Amino acid sequence: MSGTSDYTPPKVWTWNKANGGQFASINRPISGPTHDKELPVGRHPLQLYSLGTPNGQKVTIMLEELLALGHSGAEYDAWLIKIGDGDQFGSGFVAVNPNSKIPALMDRSGPKPIRVFESGAILTYLAEKFGAFLPTEPSERAECLSWLFWQMGSAPYLGGGFGHFYAYAPTKIEYAIDRFAMEVKRQLDVLDRRLAESEYLAGSQYTIADIAVWPWYGGLVKGWTYGAAEFLQVEDYKNVLRWADTIYSRPAVQRGRMVNRLSGDPSSQLHERHDASDFDTSTQDKLAAAE
């Protein structure tokens, strides 16, 4: 590994707009809206503003799972937020999530709308609201929340760290890729050891911990993320692979993964979801055929 570099950090960092590679147009060191744009509101109690990234999939999977259990109050409108176009910096979106990240949820089922942002907070909110996928027994609840927060703390190393430098950075930096690949493999080993002793992350029951972790790490070992399965030798993590396949077999997971999705086979892309029938009528292949 090369230990040399021609870069010396300045005494004071300044924002170079030309830097940032693929995401230079949307990354910035300040918060707040860049333009006025109100968010649309549909007819359902829950209004989701999101994109079908791993973080977005967590919430759509949760909502589809709740509907599959018969919780009609979990009906939702899923509006597409194109982060590459800067939709997350519109004034309406910033009012729901001041951090300008997807997903963001508005619960309009009560007399006063409630905003919820950060995917882990949304999962917990929905689990408590509907009494599902979050154990109530203290030790089981603690285990579930521990794995949920493990994901919240670990995934930035996978996404912003490994994924960025391996797949998106304008320059391949050996040190950065090695550093984050090592950490991602350590995390996969953490999961593999846990899943060797437990069917699901929190125990014998499927919970919001699995819903949170699966889009990131399940997607990674299934070969859907960053094109890095071979590089990371994911076949070594047999318990993670077993768990990933088990969760992917759930129809609600397959539906949730489609919502707000902009990549992959057109039949797997449902850009916006406003009714359960949209899965049968409004995927991109169906819309293209109707034109």
Side-chain angles (χ1 to χ4, degrees), residues 182-243:
M182 177 178 65
E183 174 60 15
V184 169
K185 287 183 71 66
R186 189 193 69 82
Q187 293 174 3
L188 287 169
D189 193 49
V190 169
L191 289 175
D192 203 63
R193 290 170 184 268
R194 171 57 179 166
L195 292 166
E197 63 186 18
S198 180
E199 182 178 4
Y200 296 103
L201 287 172
S204 62
Q205 301 298 313
Y206 173 67
T207 69
I208 56 173
D210 303 289
I211 293 172
V213 174
W214 184 84
W216 281 104
Y217 296 90
L220 185 66
V221 299
K222 293 289 288 181
W224 301 329
T225 308
Y226 307 127
E230 181 180 7
F231 181 76
L232 295 170
Q233 296 177 290
V234 299
E235 70 276 4
D236 291 347
Y237 306 101
K238 299 188 186 307
N239 299 301
V240 181
L241 285 163
R242 182 267 308 162
W243 166 85

Side-chain angles (χ1 to χ4, degrees), residues 4-291:
T4 63
S5 172
D6 59 2
Y7 173 69
T8 301
K11 289 185 178 180
V12 178
W13 181 85
T14 57
W15 182 24
N16 176 7
K17 291 185 179 181
N19 196 10
Q22 181 176 339
F23 303 104
S25 64
I26 60 171
N27 287 339
R28 58 198 184 114
I30 55 176
S31 62
T34 61
H35 58 283
D36 289 329
K37 184 178 181 180
E38 292 302 309
L39 291 173
V41 178
R43 63 187 177 89
H44 293 306
L46 301 175
Q47 300 294 302
L48 178 66
Y49 305 95
S50 192
L51 181 67
T53 66
N55 281 336
Q57 290 173 32
K58 297 175 194 175
V59 179
T60 50
I61 288 171
M62 178 65 168
L63 290 166
E64 291 298 328
E65 292 281 15
L66 289 168
L67 290 169
L69 285 181
H71 293 287
S72 60
E75 270 294 352
Y76 68 105
D77 291 276
W79 302 93
L80 182 63
I81 299 296
K82 294 184 177 180
I83 61 176
D85 295 346
D87 290 352
Q88 69 274 32
F89 300 120
S91 57
F93 189 90
V94 174
V96 181
N97 185 355
N99 196 38
S100 292
K101 303 289 185 182
I102 61 95
L105 179 74
M106 287 294 294
D107 182 354
R108 296 180 175 275
S109 62
K112 180 181 178 180
I114 297 172
R115 75 175 188 184
V116 195
F117 58 93
E118 292 296 327
S119 58
I122 296 173
L123 291 179
T124 305
Y125 177 82
L126 292 172
E128 293 180 338
K129 179 181 177 71
F130 294 102
F133 304 114
L134 178 58
T136 56
E137 193 278 324
S139 65
E140 294 176 356
R141 179 183 174 88
E143 190 73 17
C144 176
L145 292 177
S146 293
W147 285 107
L148 173 65
F149 281 90
W150 176 89
Q151 188 280 322
M152 301 298 291
S154 296
Y157 289 95
L158 171 53
F162 173 76
H164 179 79
F165 287 106
Y166 181 79
Y168 302 131
T171 303
K172 299 299 183 188
I173 303 171
E174 183 181 6
Y175 175 82
I177 293 173
D178 282 350
R179 169 66 181 88
F180 288 110
M182 177 178 65
E183 174 60 15
V184 169
K185 287 183 71 66
R186 189 193 69 82
Q187 293 174 3
L188 287 169
D189 193 49
V190 169
L191 289 175
D192 203 63
R193 290 170 184 268
R194 171 57 179 166
L195 292 166
E197 63 186 18
S198 180
E199 182 178 4
Y200 296 103
L201 287 172
S204 62
Q205 301 298 313
Y206 173 67
T207 69
I208 56 173
D210 303 289
I211 293 172
V213 174
W214 184 84
W216 281 104
Y217 296 90
L220 185 66
V221 299
K222 293 289 288 181
W224 301 329
T225 308
Y226 307 127
E230 181 180 7
F231 181 76
L232 295 170
Q233 296 177 290
V234 299
E235 70 276 4
D236 291 347
Y237 306 101
K238 299 188 186 307
N239 299 301
V240 181
L241 285 163
R242 182 267 308 162
W243 166 85
D245 287 338
T246 297
I247 292 177
Y248 187 52
S249 69
R250 299 176 69 92
V253 170
Q254 296 174 29
R255 290 193 299 273
R257 190 169 179 267
M258 295 169 63
V259 179
N260 298 144
R261 186 174 179 82
L262 294 180
S263 62
D265 190 289
S267 65
S268 72
Q269 298 181 41
L270 181 62
H271 287 187
E272 291 192 351
R273 188 267 193 212
H274 303 291
D275 188 85
S277 64
D278 290 344
F279 291 102
D280 298 320
T281 63
S282 299
T283 52
Q284 286 304 105
D285 60 322
K286 301 283 188 5
L287 296 179
E291 290 180 357

